[in-house]
Amino acid sequence: PLAKNRLDNELEYVLKTGSADYFLFVSDLACYLKGKGISIGLGRGASVGSLLAYLLGIVNFRLAPPKKG
């Protein structure tokens, strides 16, 4: 339930700010670069902790579980 709530909140924010196309573009770019063997790094800013970015393949490391409360 915590991960679902986190993802719901992130999706709501992305849709509210009109960032969906940006996330999809970056996801496509990350997938392309990874397919060519090009490292894309860990990400920057808030995207590093984004479950959505992780699920889209934009960041590629395990996230800490969401904090309770």
Side-chain angles (χ1 to χ4, degrees), residues 17-58:
T17 59
S19 303
D21 288 342
Y22 174 76
F23 269 80
L24 293 174
F25 170 77
V26 174
S27 175
D28 285 346
L29 181 60
C31 191
Y32 172 80
L33 293 173
K34 288 177 189 177
K36 296 288 185 183
I38 300 170
S39 176
I40 62 168
L42 297 175
R44 292 184 52 188
S47 69
V48 174
S50 168
L51 179 57
L52 180 61
Y54 175 76
L55 293 173
L56 289 173
I58 296 170

Side-chain angles (χ1 to χ4, degrees), residues 1-22:
L2 291 175
K4 182 183 180 324
N5 289 340
R6 181 174 173 172
L7 185 58
D8 287 344
N9 289 336
E10 289 183 21
L11 286 171
E12 180 181 338
Y13 180 79
V14 166
L15 294 173
K16 185 170 85 174
T17 59
S19 303
D21 288 342
Y22 174 76

